[in-house]
Amino acid sequence: MADVAVRAGVSISTVSRALGGAAGVSEATRERVRAVADELAYVVSPEASRLSRGSTGRVGVLVPAIHLWYYASVVAGLEAVLRESELDLLLYHVEGPEDRRRFFDRLPARRKVDALVVVALPTTAEQHRRLDDLGVAIISAGASSEQHPWVAVDDAAAAGAAVEHLLALGHERIAMIRTVEPDGGDWQADRQRLAGYRSALQRAGLEEDRDLVVTVPWGPDGGARAMDRLLTLPHPPTGVFAYSDEVAIGALRSLRRARVEVPGAVSLVGVDDHPMADLTDLTTVAQEPVVIGRCAAALALRTLGLPVPVDLQHVRTDGQRLGTRLVVRGTTAPPRAAGARLAPPRSPAAAEVLRAPRS
């Protein structure tokens, strides 16, 4: 800046005002300063400017995965809004239990960000306490929170819509494929989707069969193993509700390998409307993670006292519940005639699943 001031024949404060867009500088002087700055390849340091205002100009985002569609979409929505507000996004990826413990032990976000968006991350009580002690604004995306501003879908309602769709088609033996967190963290979405599944059955006057609720590690492979297990039951389900589309796609793979007709013998519903759901003709309950990210960015801006885009001014600081919608495709239909039996599973994993303890 001193070099620009000498070359332009003005004071350093004039250079600062000219390049920062402040008043008190003639247009001719402003243009001369800009021309010299361009010649010297000088730009105003955002870091220095933000420090002078007592802020970092950065918002952190904490995610358990960056390669999965849901989390990548939330981050994309966040980044788009923050970029328009001239804020930087600092990504913290805590993929597994060890990464998560290391993050909370070191708390690298301290003093590096003005706000931290936590995306659907299962946390222990101690980890949650450390977040509260972080000293920056916390926003929860993809899960509700009693302590922080949040934005999420109604997972119980999403599960209810999936199960009610199967019930309306005439299914009564309806299974659910749940997911489990390896280090015992609490997936709020799983809890709420299980509650929605149970509530839908209760409203229909049906008792829950514990054999029809299978808990597996998240992912297509988990979905495949769960479906293998369900197919070995003396009375397999005619309808299956899977925690997510990726889990449902794994279940669909097992059904096809076992030569079980879908939806002729088994109907299948997921949650998310992942791009693969359309390609596999999967019935699902759609949510919009990009919108979740955009709303979380609006909460961060509002918490920091910054302007919120007009199209996001409806987002409530005390908690924003977003809707979902049922998307009916080709994996659901009325159950076939009573008394028909499913073919025994031909999946190579079936024998291994039979020996596994039921969750």
Side-chain angles (χ1 to χ4, degrees):
M1 187 178 287
D3 291 341
V4 173
V6 170
R7 183 77 63 88
V10 297
S11 66
I12 293 177
S13 61
T14 298
V15 172
S16 177
R17 291 197 304 273
L19 297 180
V25 180
S26 69
E27 191 58 33
T29 300
R30 193 184 305 276
E31 289 301 322
R32 186 167 75 255
V33 170
R34 286 175 178 168
V36 173
D38 289 342
E39 181 182 346
L40 297 178
Y42 171 79
V43 294
V44 176
S45 167
E47 193 75 12
S49 299
R50 289 161 182 167
L51 287 173
S52 70
R53 298 194 301 266
S55 66
T56 69
R58 289 188 293 258
V59 172
V61 56
L62 184 62
V63 295
I66 55 176
H67 62 290
L68 300 177
W69 168 79
Y70 176 85
Y71 297 105
S73 298
V74 172
V75 170
L78 265 166
E79 194 277 334
V81 175
L82 296 178
R83 176 166 25 93
E84 289 297 319
S85 301
E86 298 185 351
L87 293 176
D88 295 328
L89 184 147
L90 186 59
L91 181 66
Y92 294 105
H93 178 208
V94 287
E95 185 173 12
E98 186 58 36
D99 279 352
R100 205 168 303 159
R101 281 191 290 269
R102 189 179 303 113
F103 173 85
F104 283 100
D105 285 344
R106 298 176 181 175
L107 283 178
R110 186 181 298 275
R111 299 186 183 93
K112 290 185 178 181
V113 297
D114 299 321
L116 181 67
V117 179
V118 181
V119 184
L121 185 72
T123 56
T124 65
E126 173 61 19
Q127 290 169 348
H128 196 84
R129 184 190 66 77
R130 289 181 69 82
L131 276 178
D132 288 336
D133 293 342
L134 188 57
V136 299
I138 305 295
I139 293 91
S140 177
S144 60
S145 172
E146 295 181 358
Q147 293 83 18
H148 312 121
W150 58 270
V151 54
V153 300
D154 189 332
D155 285 293
V163 177
E164 286 168 3
H165 171 61
L166 293 171
L167 290 166
L169 291 171
H171 295 273
E172 294 185 353
R173 284 190 62 75
I174 300 173
M176 178 179 178
I177 302 177
R178 296 183 60 190
T179 59
V180 65
E181 167 64 18
D183 67 345
D186 181 23
W187 289 97
Q188 186 182 101
D190 176 69
R191 266 192 299 110
Q192 293 184 352
R193 291 177 195 181
L194 177 62
Y197 163 81
R198 288 172 168 166
S199 295
L201 293 181
Q202 290 171 359
R203 289 192 297 271
L206 299 175
E207 292 187 6
E208 178 187 347
D209 185 338
R210 293 185 62 186
D211 286 334
L212 295 182
V213 178
V214 181
T215 304
V216 291
W218 183 93
D221 185 63
R225 291 173 177 270
M227 195 68 246
D228 288 334
R229 189 182 304 179
L230 290 169
L231 290 177
T232 64
L233 294 175
H235 300 287
T238 64
V240 177
F241 163 55
Y243 171 83
S244 71
D245 289 345
E246 289 100 326
V247 172
I249 289 168
L252 185 61
R253 185 189 72 183
S254 279
L255 288 166
R256 288 174 174 168
R257 287 183 175 182
R259 300 180 185 175
V260 174
E261 295 179 7
V262 180
V266 174
S267 287
L268 183 62
V269 187
V271 174
D272 280 337
D273 203 21
H274 187 287
M276 288 298 295
D278 188 26
L279 292 175
T280 55
D281 205 24
L282 176 69
T283 295
T284 188
V285 179
Q287 63 172 320
E288 298 182 88
V290 170
V291 176
I292 292 175
R294 290 180 58 82
C295 291
L299 289 174
L301 293 174
R302 187 166 288 151
T303 301
L304 298 175
L306 298 174
V308 176
V310 173
D311 64 325
L312 294 172
Q313 290 182 356
H314 66 281
V315 179
R316 296 174 44 168
T317 306
D318 59 340
Q320 183 67 39
R321 185 73 73 185
L322 302 180
T324 56
R325 58 188 175 87
L326 178 68
V327 180
V328 179
R329 296 193 178 100
T331 58
T332 51
R336 65 184 180 184
R341 294 298 301 272
L342 293 177
R346 292 183 173 85
S347 169
E352 180 181 349
V353 172
L354 279 172
R355 293 193 298 270
R358 180 171 61 84
S359 298

